[in-house]
């Protein structure tokens, strides 16, 4: 490994730590699944009421 690649790798690692753009991690996906399934049910009711199915 040359000094140039070592410096480039160190710079890349530093930017990788600061480039995280995700939201907060709550660890539990329960509310996300409940909201998703609620959306599916509401959408299905809308489709059947309009008569598209």
């Amino acid at each position: 490994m040359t000094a140039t690649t070592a410096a480039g790798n160190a710079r890349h690692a530093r930017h990788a730590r600061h480039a995280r753009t995700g939201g907060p991690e709550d660890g539990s996906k329960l509310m996300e699944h409940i909201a998703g399934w609620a959306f599916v049910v509401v959408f299905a009711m809308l489709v059947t009421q309009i008569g598209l199915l």
Side-chain angles (χ1 to χ4, degrees):
M1 180 183 296
T2 66
T4 305
T5 57
N9 288 341
R11 183 174 39 244
H12 177 67
R14 183 175 64 242
H15 286 289
R17 285 187 301 237
H18 295 292
R20 185 175 174 272
T21 59
E25 292 293 328
D26 56 358
S28 174
K29 302 281 184 177
L30 181 63
M31 285 305 295
E32 185 177 344
H33 286 288
I34 291 171
W37 279 108
F39 173 74
V40 168
V41 169
V42 169
F43 183 72
M45 290 189 310
L46 177 69
V47 167
T48 54
Q49 287 293 320
I50 292 175
L52 297 176
L53 186 66

